[in-house]
Amino acid sequence: QVQLVESGGGLVQAGGSLRLSCAASGRTYSTYAMGWFRQAPGKEREFVAAISWSGGNAYYSDSVKGRFTFSRDNAKNTVYLQMNSLKPEDTAVYYCATDPRPPANWRLRFNPISWGQGTQVTVSS
């Protein structure tokens, strides 16, 4: 089992940037795909981005494509979500997650088996 701890959330003005981090523990971390999800008040949790175990391939939802960048440093057991050009609609609690299945599966639909506790991102207009 992989344990996940997010950090880096906060309050930022529209157009600003934040970088979220997710520190993972567990010996199988580096072999798992990692993902970011978010949940805004009154809405369902939604997929934001996913990255392969090697970090060589990243995938994004249409709502964040071109603004967010997902990366990972397996030597530090940490993944990062660089968020630029933030909009008020990006306001949500952001969660990192893991999916141990092969890419052919998680690329179709990312199904987490582990979640972090979440970090709040608030973008003011």
Side-chain angles (χ1 to χ4, degrees), residues 22-66:
C22 175
S25 61
R27 60 179 180 172
T28 55
Y29 152 79
S30 62
T31 65
Y32 286 3
M34 299 290 293
W36 285 97
F37 287 71
R38 66 186 182 185
Q39 188 167 19
K43 295 187 177 181
E44 293 187 354
R45 193 171 297 189
E46 65 173 355
F47 169 81
V48 174
I51 195 167
S52 61
W53 70 268
S54 68
N57 295 287
Y59 304 88
Y60 303 91
S61 67
D62 288 342
S63 61
V64 307
K65 196 175 298 182

Side-chain angles (χ1 to χ4, degrees), residues 1-3 5 16-17 19 24 27-28 30 32 41 47 55 57 61 63 67 82 86-87 95-97 102 109 118 124:
Q1 190 75 0
V2 178
Q3 290 77 46
V5 179
S17 299
R19 190 177 80 156
R27 60 179 180 172
T28 55
S30 62
Y32 286 3
F47 169 81
N57 295 287
S61 67
S63 61
R67 300 188 297 121
Q82 178 66 44
L86 283 162
K87 305 174 181 179
Y95 300 89
C96 69
R109 183 177 178 87
S124 62

Side-chain angles (χ1 to χ4, degrees), residues 7-124:
S7 60
L11 173 63
V12 64
Q13 289 188 332
S17 299
L18 281 175
R19 190 177 80 156
L20 305 183
S21 300
C22 175
S25 61
R27 60 179 180 172
T28 55
Y29 152 79
S30 62
T31 65
Y32 286 3
M34 299 290 293
W36 285 97
F37 287 71
R38 66 186 182 185
Q39 188 167 19
K43 295 187 177 181
E44 293 187 354
R45 193 171 297 189
E46 65 173 355
F47 169 81
V48 174
I51 195 167
S52 61
W53 70 268
S54 68
N57 295 287
Y59 304 88
Y60 303 91
S61 67
D62 288 342
S63 61
V64 307
K65 196 175 298 182
R67 300 188 297 121
F68 290 11
T69 302
F70 197 175
S71 61
R72 70 189 294 166
D73 185 341
N74 286 342
K76 296 181 178 180
N77 284 0
T78 302
V79 298
Y80 306 96
L81 187 68
Q82 178 66 44
M83 305 185 297
N84 299 329
S85 301
L86 283 162
K87 305 174 181 179
E89 51 264 44
D90 294 317
T91 295
V93 178
Y94 284 70
Y95 300 89
C96 69
T98 62
D99 187 331
R101 299 174 302 153
N105 296 103
W106 63 259
R107 285 176 59 183
L108 290 176
R109 183 177 178 87
F110 200 92
N111 283 331
I113 62 166
S114 298
W115 295 93
Q117 83 289 350
T119 186
Q120 176 70 47
V121 171
T122 303
V123 184
S124 62

